[in-house]
Amino acid sequence: LTPDPAQGAAVKAADRAHVFHSWSAQGLIDPLAVAGAEGSYFWDYEGNRYLDFTSGLVFTNIGYQHPEVVRAIQEQAARMTTFAPAFAVEARSEAARLIASHTPGDLDKIFFTNGGAEAVENAVRMARLHTGRHKVLAAYRSYHGATNTAINLTGDPRRWASDNGSSGTVHFWAPFLYRSAFYSATQEEECARALQHLEDTIVFEGPAGVAAIVLETVPGTAGIMTPPPGYLQGVRELCDRYGIVFVLDEVMAGFGRTGKWFAAEHDDVVPDLMTFAKGVNSGYVPLGGVAISGAIAETFEKRAFPGGLTYSGHPLACAAAVATIRVMEEEKVVENAAHIGASVIGPGLRDLAERHPSIGEVRGTGMFWALELVRNRETREPLVPYNATGADAAPMAAFGAACKKNGLWPFINMNRIHVVPPCNVTEAEAKEGLAALDEALAVADEHTA
Ligand code: PLP
């Protein structure tokens, strides 16, 4: 934590000169130069330390620099840093076995990718080949990744510039009572109407042409909307009725985030394909994948699967996954996420909502929470307009700056803050973050009417 502003300036200068950043106007960004990270914290070269309530991009489920996982990566590097995907390799075999031991139902075969988007691409490829159909249905208010099919499935503004109209994707409204597309008053109504709307969409698109329905089990970046009880089971039934492959995207919600190994467990639902990435090894080395049901695996028993990646099941990434999953089992990280979520974060956020008029809704579970910030609780007008930039987004920017001033690094998306600390966050850290939020929310309150 020794400050070294000169080194920080050098890191920043090279970044600004040569690094082309994601999702950004390159001339308008000012990335923080990060000197180090451990557990739930990271720090800059000026000596400022931040409590990371973002888990990176919601991936460091066991925090930064877990010694067991760092050691496993070092040992794997010394033994076999890399190997081609066509071979059976110990780290890869063991990672697949461990992942399959936690996935629901018969999702027992694992196709490895380098991240989430590639997992979604390959899940859709499998669904199309398995069914012989082309269309894929996905929800508004979703994010599935930035490659071609994945971004076309995505239901937020990040799709707009890359929407090529030939991807066979069709969007529908998933349940979200707070901003219901169906004018529902209760979760039961929202569930029933959303299922009817989905069935209507299937019927009007032509069931014989629909290969897959792709849903985030709990939509993440789009706002952490836990589906009402019965919705995912209802989607499962629609898929069975119309011969459609059900793909659950657990890239963000999986590996402990919701207080279960996979979010699908909350609803006792088993998809045909499930995508994962991020938490599988806390992002220490890039890794993602698709967990495949017996029936879909059977399709590719005698027929080649036409997809692959040079680094599929990279030994270093798989060794990190093996160590991460063992750490999560031994240190009861999933149980911790459920416990701290139910006993500290959830009650703490609801308490903040009592005192801060800018909080329109508190929702979430485990280490997966969102605060919907509004100008007016009655009208639910968002604190900033949908997809706002520049001056329109200023109230959220000011709120974010206040969080940082209080030592908290926040995850902000449009008019929401997502509270997504590592799943092994301690009670003291959770309380520290809530206290910082409490102070920063005063800035958001100034914009309420
Ligand atoms: N699916 C979901 C639900 C995600 O949240 C993300 C990333 O945030 C992705 C897919 C894409 O993953 P990646 O960025 O690793 O390609």
Side-chain angles (χ1 to χ4, degrees):
L1 247 171
T2 317
D4 188 353
Q7 179 63 9
V11 169
K12 182 76 159 278
D15 177 283
R16 298 319 301 122
H18 302 294
V19 178
F20 194 93
H21 282 259
S22 322
W23 307 117
S24 304
Q26 304 301 310
L28 300 181
I29 52 173
D30 183 25
L32 182 77
V34 179
E38 195 178 321
S40 302
Y41 294 89
F42 66 86
W43 50 91
D44 64 17
Y45 288 92
E46 311 287 327
N48 301 308
R49 196 172 82 132
Y50 297 98
L51 175 60
D52 185 0
F53 260 31
T54 72
S55 299
L57 271 176
V58 202
F59 61 78
T60 56
N61 289 7
I62 57 163
Y64 294 107
Q65 299 296 111
H66 194 293
E68 294 292 325
V69 180
V70 171
R71 189 176 314 121
I73 293 168
Q74 288 167 335
E75 280 171 10
Q76 184 66 39
R79 218 150 53 86
M80 184 190 274
T81 307
T82 191
F83 219 86
F87 296 81
V89 170
E90 186 181 346
R92 185 184 299 143
S93 303
E94 183 60 2
R97 190 187 71 76
L98 278 174
I99 293 165
S101 76
H102 287 289
T103 50
D106 69 337
L107 302 174
D108 289 336
K109 288 252 166 98
I110 310 298
F111 178 71
F112 285 112
T113 64
N114 301 300
E118 286 175 352
V120 171
E121 293 287 326
N122 281 286
V124 169
R125 175 180 280 146
M126 287 173 195
R128 284 177 168 156
L129 291 164
H130 178 72
T131 58
R133 305 172 178 181
H134 186 69
K135 282 187 187 176
V136 185
L137 272 45
Y140 289 113
R141 303 191 201 276
S142 69
Y143 182 71
H144 293 292
T147 55
N148 187 55
T149 307
I151 200 72
N152 275 270
L153 288 168
T154 289
D156 86 8
R158 282 173 288 184
R159 183 184 77 244
W160 299 348
S162 303
D163 202 339
N164 60 21
S166 65
S167 56
T169 54
V170 174
H171 286 90
F172 63 93
W173 293 100
F176 177 30
L177 186 59
Y178 187 71
R179 298 194 186 283
S180 172
F182 309 107
Y183 303 96
S184 306
T186 65
Q187 289 286 13
E188 292 72 28
E189 258 177 21
E190 183 72 358
C191 180
R193 292 173 185 185
L195 284 171
Q196 185 61 53
H197 162 71
L198 177 55
E199 182 160 17
D200 291 345
T201 307
I202 293 167
V203 169
F204 277 72
E205 286 295 332
V210 179
I213 295 174
V214 180
L215 276 177
E216 288 173 83
T217 314
V218 177
T221 322
I224 312 186
M225 293 89 77
T226 303
Y231 180 72
L232 292 172
Q233 284 291 354
V235 178
R236 174 74 272 178
E237 283 164 30
L238 288 174
C239 286
D240 291 342
R241 189 175 320 149
Y242 293 104
I244 296 168
V245 170
F246 189 13
V247 182
L248 279 178
D249 183 347
E250 295 239 3
V251 166
M252 190 177 278
F255 287 97
R257 183 54 48 196
T258 67
K260 300 270 189 196
W261 277 89
F262 292 99
E265 291 169 42
H266 291 285
D267 297 273
D268 234 348
V269 67
V270 183
D272 303 302
L273 296 169
M274 197 168 76
T275 56
F276 64 86
K278 297 187 188 266
V280 62
N281 64 9
S282 261
Y284 283 29
V285 184
L287 184 68
V290 188
I292 307 163
S293 70
I296 296 184
E298 177 64 30
T299 293
F300 302 106
E301 276 295 303
K302 296 279 171 348
R303 166 185 178 189
F305 173 63
L309 299 152
T310 297
Y311 305 129
S312 178
H314 193 285
L316 218 48
C318 286
V322 170
T324 298
I325 293 168
R326 289 198 181 131
V327 160
M328 288 176 70
E329 290 172 350
E330 281 159 20
E331 298 181 7
K332 304 215 173 306
V333 170
V334 182
E335 292 84 345
N336 186 73
H339 172 66
I340 300 286
S343 64
V344 183
I345 302 265
L349 294 177
R350 283 189 280 270
D351 173 59
L352 292 180
E354 300 269 306
R355 288 181 286 110
H356 293 283
S358 57
I359 300 179
E361 187 178 60
V362 175
R363 54 178 183 263
T365 178
M367 286 301 111
F368 211 29
W369 293 84
L371 298 181
E372 186 98 14
L373 300 189
V374 293
R375 285 184 184 272
N376 182 313
R377 275 188 178 165
E378 297 303 312
T379 65
R380 302 185 179 181
E381 181 191 350
L383 198 74
V384 299
Y386 189 73
N387 203 31
T389 53
D392 288 344
M396 288 305 289
F399 165 68
C403 290
K404 291 173 191 171
K405 199 166 132 276
N406 295 325
L408 179 77
W409 201 266
F411 186 115
I412 287 174
N413 184 289
M414 299 196 193
N415 69 312
R416 287 170 270 108
I417 174 165
H418 294 185
V419 175
V420 284
C423 296
N424 62 350
V425 75
T426 66
E427 184 171 337
E429 289 165 350
K431 287 184 170 160
E432 179 188 328
L434 289 166
L437 267 181
D438 194 3
E439 280 195 44
L441 280 162
V443 172
D445 291 342
E446 287 167 17
H447 299 276
T448 57

